[in-house]
Amino acid sequence: MSITDSPAPYRQELRRGVGHFSSFAAGFSFVSILTTVFQLFGLGFGFGGAAFFWTWPLVFAGQLLVALNFAQLAARWPISGAIFQWSSRLAGTTFGWFTGWVMIIAQTLTVAVAAIAVQAVLPSIWDGFQIIGGPGADPSLTSDTGAQNAVLLGVILLVITTVVNILSVRIMAFATSVGVIVETIGLILVVAALFLLPARSPAVVFTTEGAAPSDSPYIWAFLASSLMAAYVLVGFDSAGELAEETHAPRKTIAKTIINAVVVSGLGGALLIIATLVAAPSLSDGKLAAGGIAYVVTERLGPVFGRLLLVAVAVAVFACTLAVQTSGSRMIYSMARERALPFWRTLARVSPRTGTPIATSIVIGVGAALALAVNFGHNAIFTALSSLCIAMLYLAYLGVTVPLMFARLRAPRDWHSGGINEDGKPLFALGRWGLPLNVLAVLYQIAMVINLAWPRPEIYDLTGETWWLQWSALLFIGATLLVGVLVHRRNHARDGAIRLGHLPTTAEINLGELTLAVAKTPPAPTASAPTTSPAASAPTQA
């Protein structure tokens, strides 16, 4: 289906309350290395041992390629629902709709997975947070009491983030900004403290010490351990989801997308190395089971260790909030195009709060339901983590693949183009755009295969549940099938999707100039005194 743009531009309904730092905070909070590295360090180390560190720079390089391409699109098309909008404008609204549909499901699952992280932190701060089973119960996610308590704490967190999302974009931006500041300070303190208490040399990353015993070649364990890095380094596009709420988005968002990836990549690498250097032991199984929280409390003592874990808890809150905000804006953007059921309700922006209330509630409730499925099945947690990231990578491919073909069709159109709010050229990759785009696509395809591969140690911890082992492929297939039904229903009832016109910077500047001229009173003439009503009346537009 070809794109048919409506001649009318989008009406500004969302309030622009997000500045440069808040935009960066949205992307950085979604990635949230303190949240996700703390949560999944044990998974990566348990598979690959100390050498799993090298999966981090490999995934970082691949995701930086994706981020560079996204940054160019964010500068050209700064609009909410970025993944859906970019894909639709590159490959047509039908293809874009399915990209957006997959992204909505992926973001909802990611909110649930982010909320699960509270279980990896709060009981380590105070055992009173282990509500189910009591303070003496096993808090690990692989236990029944830990899994059930994770659901309870996660739902409580989702209630809080949903309320914050509803209240105001300024409150949301302030909360994520504070979260980023606390997370950054906590990260610096954790890394510095662990490096000052070494148990071994950083050269340990060149060994496989601590890897799970296996008769298979190490490459398979290495690929499995890369799931940790793949899960952490996503979500940088969330800054693009807030484009219509960001000041000077063409200038701001491209930079914040790239900065979120770079800062997260460097910070995460230091955190992984510091943990491996300071861990009391790499071979007793405690590091794989307890992760970074175990190392922090063991090496820094219960008091200082718990204080640093408070910073991690704040990061978990900011991460969950950022992911939920991103998902709500995706639903809002698609509903505004009449592309979803109940689009009239989902596309409504509250005149009082300036936020799309219904979409925030939908994401919150959807994530809570995803958590509830885990209440009696602790084996689902690792499967859920891998599944949501596989779907995010698929959605990202829904942008980078059509962008690659667009570059092949008209390479010069993508070398540069347009100006930002300061009158400077928009961010562009120039002649490097196509090769960087091709590398990004190849990397993403490889990671989708790696993430969705039906490993029983990832998807079926019971060892005997076939549908869990194949849950990634089954769920992705079911998502696309349901998407076909929803899309057909919407098309039959509401007609084809008609994307609104997105004004260029030149059009915006011309409109502002025209408005300014219309509001400027004419200069006084000799025959008309400056004090006369005729001279002081404004010119009509």
Side-chain angles (χ1 to χ4, degrees):
M1 177 190 235
S2 62
I3 304 173
T4 306
D5 287 338
S6 168
Y10 289 108
R11 184 162 56 93
Q12 182 69 38
E13 294 185 272
L14 301 172
R15 297 176 184 173
R16 293 198 183 274
V18 178
H20 182 86
F21 183 77
S22 296
S23 177
F24 165 77
F28 185 78
S29 295
F30 195 128
V31 178
S32 189
I33 51 179
L34 273 189
T35 298
T36 46
V37 175
F38 259 79
Q39 183 182 12
L40 293 172
F41 179 92
L43 175 69
F45 177 79
F47 281 118
F52 99 98
F53 163 77
W54 295 106
T55 65
W56 185 268
L58 289 176
V59 172
F60 167 68
Q63 291 297 74
L64 183 59
L65 292 172
V66 179
L68 288 169
N69 284 281
F70 280 11
Q72 181 164 359
L73 293 174
R76 177 175 288 209
W77 294 318
I79 185 170
S80 293
I83 299 297
F84 158 70
Q85 292 281 350
W86 298 342
S87 181
S88 295
R89 293 167 192 275
L90 288 167
T93 53
T94 298
F95 186 88
W97 188 93
F98 279 95
T99 300
W101 173 253
V102 171
M103 191 67 178
I104 287 174
I105 305 301
Q107 287 173 323
T108 303
L109 295 179
T110 306
V111 174
V113 172
I116 290 172
V118 293
Q119 181 65 22
V121 181
L122 292 186
S124 298
I125 297 174
W126 177 49
D127 58 11
F129 283 115
Q130 184 60 42
I131 300 170
I132 295 179
D138 186 355
S140 65
L141 286 173
T142 54
S143 68
D144 290 337
T145 53
Q148 293 170 11
N149 201 66
V151 173
L152 177 60
L153 294 180
V155 170
I156 294 172
L157 176 59
L158 288 172
V159 171
I160 297 171
T161 56
T162 300
V163 171
V164 173
N165 256 310
I166 288 173
L167 289 177
S168 166
V169 68
R170 291 183 183 276
I171 296 176
M172 182 281 300
F174 176 77
T176 52
S177 296
V178 171
V180 164
I181 293 172
V182 173
E183 180 173 2
T184 303
I185 294 173
L187 176 65
I188 293 172
L189 291 176
V190 168
V191 170
L194 294 181
F195 270 126
L196 291 173
L197 296 170
R200 61 194 59 79
S201 160
V204 70
V205 299
F206 295 101
T207 74
T208 59
E209 186 177 357
S214 175
D215 296 330
S216 302
Y218 178 74
I219 184 62
W220 301 114
F222 185 78
L223 290 174
S225 69
S226 69
L227 301 187
M228 188 278 279
Y231 172 61
V232 176
L233 292 170
V234 293
F236 41 83
D237 57 293
S238 59
E241 302 293 350
L242 297 175
E244 293 179 48
E245 295 157 275
T246 302
H247 298 295
R250 297 178 190 274
K251 168 188 173 183
T252 300
I253 295 174
K255 294 179 181 178
T256 56
I257 286 176
I258 298 171
N259 290 341
V261 177
V262 171
V263 174
S264 298
L266 295 177
L270 291 173
L271 180 59
I272 294 171
I273 295 175
T275 302
L276 293 171
V277 166
S281 173
L282 299 181
S283 56
D284 62 2
K286 292 183 178 180
L287 183 56
I292 300 178
Y294 153 73
V295 178
V296 168
T297 52
E298 284 291 316
R299 299 294 286 165
L300 304 182
V303 177
F304 187 51
R306 286 188 175 93
L307 287 175
L308 290 179
L309 289 178
V310 170
V312 180
V314 173
V316 171
F317 165 76
C319 175
T320 308
L321 179 63
V323 180
Q324 186 176 5
T325 303
S326 181
S328 70
R329 298 316 187 260
M330 175 65 68
I331 295 178
Y332 163 76
S333 180
M334 293 184 69
R336 182 172 55 181
E337 312 291 359
R338 303 180 303 170
L340 292 174
F342 312 107
W343 60 268
R344 290 181 178 84
T345 300
L346 296 174
R348 186 176 300 139
V349 176
S350 169
R352 184 173 63 85
T353 66
T355 59
I357 294 176
T359 61
S360 298
I361 295 175
V362 167
I363 291 289
V365 172
L369 292 175
L371 282 177
V373 172
N374 293 269
F375 193 80
H377 304 276
N378 55 298
I380 296 180
F381 280 116
T382 55
L384 187 64
S385 299
S386 299
L387 171 60
C388 72
I389 302 308
M391 294 191 67
L392 281 175
Y393 271 73
L394 274 178
Y396 286 178
L397 269 171
V399 175
T400 54
V401 169
L403 176 59
M404 179 179 67
F405 284 112
R407 292 185 191 277
L408 286 169
R409 286 193 303 267
R412 297 196 177 200
D413 290 350
W414 294 93
H415 286 176
S416 61
I419 56 174
N420 64 24
E421 291 81 1
D422 289 344
K424 298 179 180 179
L426 295 178
F427 175 85
L429 298 176
R431 296 183 180 275
W432 288 97
L434 181 57
L436 293 179
N437 199 156
V438 171
L439 289 175
V441 168
L442 294 175
Y443 157 76
Q444 289 174 290
I445 292 174
M447 283 307 300
V448 167
I449 295 173
N450 189 33
L451 285 162
W453 196 264
R455 299 180 178 90
E457 58 269 30
I458 291 293
Y459 289 103
D460 181 21
L461 297 183
T462 69
E464 54 188 18
T465 311
W466 70 269
W467 61 268
L468 273 178
Q469 182 175 346
W470 293 89
S471 57
L473 297 176
L474 290 173
F475 190 87
I476 292 171
T479 297
L480 294 176
L481 178 60
V482 173
V484 169
L485 299 177
V486 173
H487 184 64
R488 284 184 175 178
R489 177 264 181 197
N490 284 341
H491 189 276
R493 180 170 178 176
D494 299 315
I497 298 172
R498 294 174 59 84
L499 299 180
H501 173 61
L502 193 61
T504 64
T505 315
E507 290 173 330
I508 294 173
N509 291 341
L510 178 61
E512 292 175 348
L513 178 62
T514 303
L515 183 61
V517 171
K519 291 183 176 181
T520 302
T525 62
S527 60
T530 57
T531 55
S532 72
S536 60
T539 303
Q540 298 297 313

